[in-house]
């Protein structure tokens, strides 16, 4: 006798037990600690913090451990936690010009005030697998230089002094800060919401879109004006006491692209900007973001919207990997009811097709 | 520095569960226009504000919902402070900027066109009126029809302004734009969403 | 570390207020999709986050909750969501359609008629009925504003030209209160007539797409069709193999590697209720032929 499937609850519990077992792996191998992840898989933690929209290295490390290293799953865990946190307000804008820089490169000028600082980078490493690293062991101590008090103005600020680049939009101190996690998005969206969307957006998606602009799908002649990575202070204006109090410092990567110029009969030509910002050291993400930000400014700058990267609805609706992974993976859920409906319809259409094609033959036979 | 101390009335005794049960009452009211529903939660309220209005305000208002007060509420010394303290809702002078309008003296209700009526693309961006009326138990009889009503339903009420349903007939021409109204008498409330039509009325 | 603590029914009160306001507008404008600031929930987008947020915003300690997926209380996602609310809200749960005050569903409307006072909460993946004809939100919003639904009729008519029938068997579009064209969620069109003039309140939540919409009780819901091609309700010729029901939607079950099949009610509560009342079907039946009934 046929009995309908039961016991789903038990199956779920057992599946989760098995997941925990697999996550731990071979129990004779020492278990990962959060500090190991945070210290030794730091760029994974940076990505999870950025796309998870929550600056907390320990929680990001926990999410990576819990997700077995699946970074999109880890981002999802952090987002779900973030959604439940109370909001006390918005911080003051951070001043990246005052960043304590660990790395800073410009591709537009050979030398700049404050100099080029290579810092910790994969650039110019030869991508040869390192057997020494497989063995383990402590690396050499880093070479240190005396701390410098030389200011490091942003390259775009230097260009801005001569009016060679469009001014950065002046922040309106009293304007409300847009937040697409608190207000439903509607189109067209302002640049603040676009940048928020890109900052939370999937690195791979932005990378592909940014790349597509370089290959001619919305080309915008980019130069990496500056990429800088380091620590900035975060301040919060406390209404009760009437001044901004420091909350601490965070690590950020900022990319400012200098793009093809605009100009008209009434306005002198000047370069335009594309902007990228992310938590931690996330250069690929911020560079891609800056390319896409610039591409999305097409309408504002009077350019034709012809390429995917310039299409605000397309980009913003598909950049979020938590949304995307949920909907793609929901195809795993049962769909027997809708499938049954399609099956019934298809059988009927096939039957009618067979009847219709059989009919002339019968007619011929009768003649 | 001169400080005026106003003894503020409390809000809900149980914030989470009272808001839930009041919401269900309002939701049922909106889903069944013309039916009288009762708010039965324990709730503090300024003397000039009916229990039902206070409960609905505590349930739906917060810092994201600009609220407009009619002259009677605006001139009551404690209403603005009570709302600000318990809900954080910004009080606005322009009725068309308000998500909610609280009306203590409905006889003096301004023309409905001063409120936000939504747009064709976003008809939900409209003001919801919450009005204290003389009675939702006795008075004139109104026969209503529309979504949420099985055929027609009878509402017996003493309304102010007396021509409220005539004024609400703008909803027919404007739909899907329009204005939704919650009528309150003490603990009783009745919702008249923009889809409800007056089929007949009499004494 | 910040150890998380959660509110009654998981969502914080500010989020609940925002969703509650959207629900009221949705009821006031039947079939119109109200944008809402959907939150990231602890289950994936596309797995019922919209329905879960709506349920969390309305649920109270007095409620009795039923959760179904594909008509069944026992599918894993239904169990997972039911457990979520049992844990975060401590509400009583049930598998009985009749005993439930709130029913969250994915892809089905229960067979037993719903009554006044009940709320049916649908999980919706793509709320926009025009989305597959026009991918742009800016465009579809304008089409709804102008009640410009010609594109939908053209699509349905093209089906007729090609297949002889309207080739939509689930998520079959409806017109609500003679104004908005609405997506009923991917329910089979068999269920469409149940939405019309229903005594219960029907709420629809789309989390990823950030929309809430509603059908108030006793509201006209008409499946789109043409005079010469009226809407028909797909129905099976055979009764349920377990309970003998002739009026229910059936799941097709492949019973062996030779392709033998049997058909049983998709609504497990309905089927079990009928069996408990003594109704029997032939428990192992040959493949059935489907046919269309008006
Ligand atoms: Zn059955």
């Amino acid at each position: 006798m046929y009995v309908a499937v039961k016991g789903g609850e038990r199956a779920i519990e057992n599946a989760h037990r098995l997941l925990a077992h697999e996550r731990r792996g071979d129990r004779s191998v020492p278990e990962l600690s959060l500090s190991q992840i945070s210290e030794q898989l730091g760029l994974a933690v940076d990505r999870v913090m950025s796309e998870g929209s929550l600056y907390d290295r320990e929680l990001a490390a926990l999410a990576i451990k819990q997700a077995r290293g699946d970074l999109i799953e880890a981002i999802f865990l952090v987002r779900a936690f973030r959604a439940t946190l109370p909001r006390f307000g918005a911080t003051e804008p951070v001043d990246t010009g005052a960043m304590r820089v660990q790395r800073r490169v410009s591709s537009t000028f050979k030398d700049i005030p404050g100099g080029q600082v290579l810092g910790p980078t994969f650039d110019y490493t030869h991508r040869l697998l390192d057997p020494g690293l497989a063995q383990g062991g402590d690396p050499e101590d880093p070479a240190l230089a005396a701390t410098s008090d030389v200011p490091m103005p942003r390259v775009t600020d230097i260009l801005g002094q001569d009016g060679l680049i469009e001014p950065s939009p002046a922040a309106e101190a009293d304007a409300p800060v847009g937040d697409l996690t608190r207000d439903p998005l509607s189109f067209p969206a302002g640049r603040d919401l676009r940048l928020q969307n890109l900052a939370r957006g999937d690195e791979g998606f932005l990378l592909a879109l940014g790349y597509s602009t370089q290959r001619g799908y919305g080309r915008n002649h980019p130069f990496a004006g500056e990429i800088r990575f380091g620590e900035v202070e975060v301040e919060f204006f406390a209404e009760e006491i009437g001044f901004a109090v420091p909350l601490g410092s965070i690590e950020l990567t900022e990319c400012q692209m200098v793009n093809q110029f605009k100009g008209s009969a009434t306005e002198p030509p000047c370069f335009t900007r594309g902007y990228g910002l992310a938590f931690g050291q996330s250069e690929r993400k911020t560079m891609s973001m800056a390319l896409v930000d610039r591409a999305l400014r097409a309408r504002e700058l009077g350019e034709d919207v012809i390429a995917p990267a310039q299409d605000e609805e397309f980009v913003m609706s598909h950049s979020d990997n938590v949304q995307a992974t949920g909907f793609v993976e929901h195809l795993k859920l049962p769909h027997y009811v809708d499938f049954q409906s399609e099956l019934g319809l298809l059988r009927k259409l096939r039957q009618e097709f067979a009847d219709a094609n059989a009919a002339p033959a019968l007619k011929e036979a009768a003649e | 520095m001169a400080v005026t101390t106003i003894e503020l009335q409390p809000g809900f005794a149980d914030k989470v569960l009272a808001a839930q049960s009041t919401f269900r009452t309002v939701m049922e009211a909106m889903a069944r226009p013309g039916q009288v529903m009762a708010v039965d939660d324990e709730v503090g309220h300024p003397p000039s504000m009916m229990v039902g209005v206070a409960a609905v305000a505590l349930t739906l208002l917060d810092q994201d919902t600009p609220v407009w007060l009619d002259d009677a509420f605006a001139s009551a010394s404690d209403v603005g402070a009570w709302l600000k303290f318990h809900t954080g809702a910004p009080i606005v002078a322009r009725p068309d900027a308000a998500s909610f309008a609280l009306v203590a003296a409905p006889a003096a209700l301004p023309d409905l066109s001063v409120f936000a009526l939504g747009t064709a693309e976003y008809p939900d961006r409209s003001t919801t009126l919450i009005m204290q009326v003389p009675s939702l138990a006795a008075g004139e009889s109104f026969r209503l029809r529309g979504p949420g009503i099985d055929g027609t339903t009878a509402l017996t009420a003493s309304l102010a302004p007396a021509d409220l349903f005539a004024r609400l007939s703008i909803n027919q021409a404007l739909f899907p734009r329009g204005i939704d109204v919650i009528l309150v008498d003490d603990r009783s409330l009745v919702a008249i969403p923009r889809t409800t039509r007056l089929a007949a009325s009499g004494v | 570390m910040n150890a998380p603590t959660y509110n009654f029914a998981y969502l914080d009160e500010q989020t609940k207020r925002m969703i509650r306001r959207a629900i009221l507008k949705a009821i006031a404008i039947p079939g119109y999709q109200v944008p809402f600031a959907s939150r990231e929930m602890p289950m994936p987008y596309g797995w019922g986050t919209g329905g879960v947020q709506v349920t969390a915003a309305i649920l109270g300690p007095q409620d009795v909750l039923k959760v179904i997926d594909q008509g069944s209380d026992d599918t894993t996602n239904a169990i997972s969501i039911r457990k979520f609310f049992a844990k975060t809200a401590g509400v009583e749960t049930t598998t009985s359609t009749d005993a439930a005050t709130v029913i969250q569903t994915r892809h089905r409307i229960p067979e037993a008629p719903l009554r006044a006072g009940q709320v049916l909460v649908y999980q919706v993946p793509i709320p926009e009925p025009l989305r597959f004809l026009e991918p742009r939100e800016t465009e579809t919003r304008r089409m709804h504003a102008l009640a410009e639904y010609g594109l939908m009729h053209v699509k349905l008519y093209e089906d007729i030209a090609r297949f002889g029938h309207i080739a939509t068997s689930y998520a079959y579009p409806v017109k609500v209160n003679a104004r908005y064209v609405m997506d009923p969620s991917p329910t089979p069109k068999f269920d469409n007539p149940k939405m019309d003039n229903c005594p219960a309140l029907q709420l629809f939540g789309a989390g990823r797409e950030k929309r809430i919409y509603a059908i108030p009780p006793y509201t006209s819901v008409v499946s789109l069709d043409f005079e010469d091609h009226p809407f028909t309700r797909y129905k099976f010729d055979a009764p349920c193999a377990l309970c003998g029901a002739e009026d229910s939607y059936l799941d097709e079950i492949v019973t062996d590697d030779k392709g033998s099949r049997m058909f049983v009610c998709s609504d497990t509560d309905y089927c079990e209720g009928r069996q408990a009342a003594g109704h029997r079907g032939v428990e192992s039946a040959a493949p059935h032929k489907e046919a269309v009934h008006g």
Side-chain angles (χ1 to χ4, degrees), chain C residues 240 242-245 248 264-265 271 275:
Chain C
C240 167
L242 297 179
C243 76
S248 72
V264 299
C265 294
C271 195
Q275 291 176 64

Side-chain angles (χ1 to χ4, degrees), chain C residues 153 157 160 166 172 223-232:
Chain C
H153 284 98
Y157 212 85
I160 293 170
I166 292 173
Y172 190 103
S223 302
L224 299 186
D225 63 359
F226 299 94
E227 247 171 51
D228 49 346
H229 281 90
F231 173 82
T232 53

Side-chain angles (χ1 to χ4, degrees), chain B residues 16 20 23-24 30-32 59-62 64-65 120-124 126 128 147-149 176 180 194-195, chain C residues 13-14 17 20-21 24-25 27-30 32 58-60 63 117 141-142 145 177 179-180 199 217-219:
Chain B
V16 173
Q20 188 276 334
F23 171 69
R24 282 293 278 275
M30 199 59 87
R32 295 167 205 285
T59 300
L60 297 177
L61 270 54
D62 59 25
D64 294 333
T65 56
E121 259 126 18
Y122 294 95
D124 56 306
S126 62
T128 300
I149 300 169
D180 310 311
R194 67 191 74 185
T195 50
Chain C
E13 289 302 299
Q14 196 186 344
R17 278 192 297 274
R20 287 167 179 167
R21 293 191 295 261
L24 295 181
K25 293 289 187 194
I27 295 170
I29 317 169
Y32 165 73
I58 69 174
L59 207 61
D63 279 310
R141 191 158 281 279
R142 189 187 58 78
N177 190 32
R179 176 57 177 82
Y180 281 101
Y218 308 111
T219 298

